[in-house]
Amino acid sequence: MLWDIFCKVIDNHGDIGVCWRLACNLALRGQAVRLWIDDASALAWMAPGGHPGVQVGPWNTDGVFPASGDVVVEAFGCDLPESVVAQMAARAQPPRWINLEYLTAEAYAERAHRLPSPVLGGPGAGLVKHFFYPGFTQGTGGLLREPGLLERQSRFDRGGWLRGMGLNPDAARTVSLFCYEPGALPDLLQQLERGPEPTQLLVTAGRATAAVRAQLASMPESRAGSMLSIACLPLLTQHDYDHLLWSCDFNFVRGEDSLVRALLAGVPFAWQLYPQDDFAHHAKLEAFLAWLQPPPRLRDFFHAWNGVGTALPAALEAAAWKDHARLAQARAHALPELVGSLEQHVR
């Protein structure tokens, strides 16, 4: 089938990251995919080679698009152009219209998954779109993951990848940092500086690097005896971001796409949710922790990293949390696979 995916880049590259993974996974299953996006600039570093089964087109302000495909995916409620909706309504057999929602562990995801939403007015009057929720139960669409991921991870050469990036594969502890501007960042850096073991902190490009540099600028210049070394990374492709997660003893991740990749990596992690003014992200965090069932100190770490409750725990217990991370990885792989769920729904 021909699938049209519509994506608007709001901020932080999470929306385009999810839509690109979705498009590529559909293509891997033999589907033809067109990704319509208002700002494709991030794909130059996220996926520089493109994908042979995915055609990327501009979301033109003039609203000129070819005839719609068999399935139209509206990512994250981005509101389709009226011209596209009118074309869909004019077809003798209207395409399947999917509203792909945000990932959440909250109970409403299972309740609302696959519910119809009849269009009562405008150019799409008479059409029906369906809500489609990723999630953490068998009653949702599950998680986005590509075929053969575990096999690819099993063949990964950690030392070779780190050396190729100019990094030390023999560090006592390696930690990746992908974040917004967490209030607990100063505490984290000070803890890592004090030890008790040497830590190589790999900071992703963008907001995380800016936040770390701003914090370092406010700290004393003399760091004699510090147990912390910091490397600021270049922008990484999606595959290399996986490699980063697989190479570390602990991963700090943010948003939706990197949360899923951290779970699938089987490495201990802490997740920073996108902060919302009405604190709606607190309920989302609690729902995820209810699913994750982390050890108490790791739960405290999640809370502190998201500005909830107590101060940051005094130690990053990556080794102690390793077994839990592997159990969470197995549970994540046992969930429905999002693209397969989508295909089944469309059929």
Side-chain angles (χ1 to χ4, degrees), residues 49-65:
H51 192 284
V54 180
Q55 176 186 346
V56 179
W59 188 322
N60 295 312
T61 54
D62 57 13
V64 177
F65 295 90

Side-chain angles (χ1 to χ4, degrees), residues 146-157 246 329 333:
E146 62 272 25
L149 179 62
L150 284 173
E151 195 272 336
R152 181 164 71 90
Q153 185 175 359
S154 71
R155 292 186 285 105
F156 175 62
D157 178 8
W246 300 345
Q329 178 191 36
H333 275 281

Side-chain angles (χ1 to χ4, degrees), residues 41-187:
S41 58
L43 291 179
W45 53 265
M46 189 179 291
H51 192 284
V54 180
Q55 176 186 346
V56 179
W59 188 322
N60 295 312
T61 54
D62 57 13
V64 177
F65 295 90
S68 60
D70 304 297
V71 186
V72 175
V73 178
E74 178 181 336
F76 311 124
C78 61
D79 292 328
L80 299 180
E82 287 194 355
S83 61
V84 172
V85 176
Q87 288 180 20
M88 293 164 61
R91 286 181 51 161
Q93 178 66 41
R96 291 283 190 172
W97 185 354
I98 307 293
N99 185 350
L100 181 65
E101 288 286 351
Y102 290 98
L103 173 67
T104 182
E106 292 164 287
Y108 71 80
E110 186 168 306
R111 292 198 304 269
H113 181 54
R114 297 179 63 178
L115 285 183
S117 177
V119 180
L120 303 179
L127 295 176
V128 177
K129 59 181 170 181
H130 286 80
F131 295 105
F132 206 89
Y133 276 86
F136 296 92
T137 68
Q138 296 295 326
T140 65
L143 300 179
L144 188 57
R145 61 184 186 273
E146 62 272 25
L149 179 62
L150 284 173
E151 195 272 336
R152 181 164 71 90
Q153 185 175 359
S154 71
R155 292 186 285 105
F156 175 62
D157 178 8
R158 175 185 181 274
W161 186 82
L162 286 170
R163 281 189 290 270
M165 295 291 295
L167 302 168
N168 177 17
D170 301 318
R173 181 171 62 183
T174 300
V175 175
S176 77
L177 180 63
F178 182 42
C179 64
Y180 302 113
E181 297 82 19
L185 181 60
D187 287 346

Side-chain angles (χ1 to χ4, degrees), residues 226-273:
S226 172
M227 303 289 278
L228 174 63
S229 63
I230 298 175
C232 294
L233 302 175
L235 290 165
L236 299 175
T237 66
Q238 285 192 329
H239 270 191
D240 273 326
Y241 185 67
D242 284 341
H243 297 161
L244 173 66
L245 296 177
W246 300 345
S247 297
C248 291
D249 301 296
F250 192 91
N251 294 305
F252 288 92
V253 296
R254 75 179 201 204
E256 177 174 329
D257 184 55
S258 62
L259 166 63
V260 175
R261 304 315 284 191
L263 267 173
L264 297 175
V267 174
F269 70 92
W271 177 37
Q272 185 186 13
L273 289 76

